[in-house]
Amino acid sequence: MEVSSRYVVTKAHIDGAPKESDFELKSESISLLLDSGSNDVIVKNLFVSIDPYQLNRMKSQSSSQIYSTLAAAINPGEAIDAYGVAKVLVSGNPEFQKDDLVVGFITWGDYSVIKPGAMLRKLDPMGFPLSHHVGILGFSGLTAYVGFFEVCKPKKGEKVFVSAASGSVGNLVGQYAKLFGCYVVGSAGSTEKVQILKEKLGFDDAFNYKEESDLKATLRRYFPDGIDIYFDNVGAEMQEAAIANMNVFGRVAVCGVISEYTDSGRKATPDMIDIVYRRIKIQGFLVTDFLNVYADFISTTCDHLRAGKMHTLEDISTGVESIPSSLIGLFSGHNIGKKMVQLAYSPIDIEV
Amino acid sequence: MEVSSRYVVTKAHIDGAPKESDFELKSESISLLLDSGSNDVIVKNLFVSIDPYQLNRMKSQSSSQIYSTLAAAINPGEAIDAYGVAKVLVSGNPEFQKDDLVVGFITWGDYSVIKPGAMLRKLDPMGFPLSHHVGILGFSGLTAYVGFFEVCKPKKGEKVFVSAASGSVGNLVGQYAKLFGCYVVGSAGSTEKVQILKEKLGFDDAFNYKEESDLKATLRRYFPDGIDIYFDNVGAEMQEAAIANMNVFGRVAVCGVISEYTDSGRKATPDMIDIVYRRIKIQGFLVTDFLNVYADFISTTCDHLRAGKMHTLEDISTGVESIPSSLIGLFSGHNIGKKMVQLAYSPIDIEV
């Protein structure tokens, strides 16, 4: 028996902002009969994550591609791996059985053939929608959790600024920070997003950066007593402005620098004299270095969700053909919250 | 009884590179009879430290002047405090007696009147020349020690790059790193300095940055296996080049950014994408936050000096009138090692 699987590939390396014509849909037949001795697992993809970092992997060269699987080059014409939730159809791996739900690295396509050694584990949905396991209970949530608690090492009452605050990670950082007892301000790119941050997610304040001409002055207004923690998702001028408003012993967690992904000439020039005198720490991090915190993260976050103390922001498109536009939209701020694509239309496919 | 004391002041704020005409020598009479009840200590200054950071204090405005006494503004016309060694002439403070040697914050002048609460303590020279207590056993040494061990947290065998490596702090960082078991390369601004680093101080290698047109390529050549620790004394392009050559989990200790002090438009634009994927940490620090390490530092460094394992590089001018040119020279690399000015000509004045 065979299934026909459509999957997204890039046609060539992408060095600026991505556009529809950079991608194409390919199709392949996947046999559901495994060769004897095969340890492959064939899964039906249910939800896949759409993340800005994927664009870095599509570039013709990145000096950091050797440093992490999250940075590993995506070769034109080849299937693209991404975090997601799937259902096992056939398994040659004793760890997995038919109909198991799994989470981990699958592909931007209808089906995935998972080789032994890939990051994949059985998923117990614990009563939460599957989409939550891609977003708030997935790598986005873990990134926010470890970035805030492990990298920023917050203290109660500290002043926290989050950029791209309605994005997949930013909205959760703000929520964790509020629950922890910090004062939190977020920046986002529309009035609607600002409203969501303040009214739905409980940020102390938020602003639309597109309406501000002098970000240093803006942040001085929102943080008259200075910023202790800046959770950086955007880089460039926003980082400079945040550092200019930082308090002594301030910390910058560099999670992503989305404004620099599509324009390699755009860079932050933080004031190093401020960094010395204020003893500021700027630290880049990747979620994959903190998998040891996973159990903590899951129990804390599930508790918050069940108690109604955290809210999810999910932005779900459907169908493999919507993957390219979903990725493209990230770079013009189309998404509100966690962007993902649902790949199974029938409720039966995703019935738990 | 009175003494006449000459001291250096700035005529106005200094916003670019300093020049002789920015300074003037003033003179005042200091009475050696203290008012009854006064807790002042009047000292004869013997050696004062000449450090690049002083220029930041002379600027018309620095956004970080409120964050540290090391950044506190120097007002035109007023005496300038600096680290140094002195001898007590008169003391209204029960902690100090006539003829005590002291070390701490004195002034750029012949004599200082030290108010209660100033950072000053009795000095036991322990058999070392007094100049050593301004340099290798003073704040320069402590800065190198805490910057390397506490901020960079080195591991044996790691690859260390030091800029301004023949400067007051850099030369000691390189020596500590070698003694600790690291591979150390330094950059400096002349053939003579490079030779000293390699032949006298035992650096594994060194180069003259003025002879290099592509610093990224230069560092790739000196560090084919990448840099684990960059001790940054200069900022700007050198910092960018070091970060571009950094290994995963690399650390940048930002001690100073001398190339940016005289040109506020000159800034480092480190690649934040590299910082994320390589999980690089950039940390500014000030020596004054690590005074708890002082005793460790002194015992370790004295042991190394007595065992002949560390070497001093001192660059000493004489007389209060040489203070301006000594400071000015720092910004064109005139000094080799620790720059200081000796203020007592007669050997008797500085007899211990």
XYZ file of all heavy atoms in Angstrom, chain B residues 95 146 185 211 277 294 304:
66
model
N 42.410 55.422 61.322
C 42.911 54.260 60.547
C 44.314 54.468 59.992
O 44.981 53.504 59.607
C 41.989 54.009 59.346
C 40.767 53.192 59.661
C 40.036 52.869 58.364
O 40.657 52.248 57.465
O 38.858 53.278 58.243
N 39.930 39.112 37.653
C 38.493 38.817 37.757
C 37.856 38.720 36.371
O 36.942 37.921 36.153
C 37.730 39.847 38.635
C 38.332 39.893 40.029
C 37.663 41.221 37.993
N 46.602 34.052 22.186
C 47.109 34.937 21.132
C 46.692 36.362 21.484
O 45.557 36.594 21.935
C 46.537 34.545 19.754
C 47.025 35.515 18.673
C 46.913 33.115 19.399
N 48.999 45.836 10.728
C 49.481 45.233 9.475
C 48.438 44.325 8.841
O 48.716 43.672 7.835
C 50.756 44.411 9.751
C 51.963 45.283 10.044
C 53.172 44.474 10.479
O 53.043 43.243 10.648
O 54.236 45.083 10.657
N 23.156 31.229 17.425
C 23.437 29.823 17.094
C 24.658 29.281 17.824
O 24.748 28.085 18.088
C 23.587 29.639 15.588
C 22.252 29.700 14.881
C 21.943 30.721 14.011
C 21.280 28.729 15.130
C 20.707 30.789 13.375
C 20.045 28.787 14.512
C 19.764 29.812 13.639
O 18.536 29.864 13.040
N 39.596 39.941 45.965
C 40.872 40.627 46.132
C 41.947 39.772 46.839
O 43.084 39.686 46.358
C 40.648 41.944 46.894
C 41.889 42.780 47.001
C 42.328 43.545 45.921
C 42.651 42.782 48.167
C 43.475 44.303 46.002
C 43.799 43.535 48.261
C 44.211 44.299 47.177
O 45.362 45.033 47.259
N 52.964 33.990 41.980
C 53.479 33.927 40.603
C 54.681 34.854 40.430
O 55.665 34.504 39.769
C 52.395 34.337 39.600
C 51.313 33.315 39.411
N 51.528 31.962 39.511
C 49.994 33.467 39.100
C 50.386 31.316 39.278
N 49.442 32.204 39.038
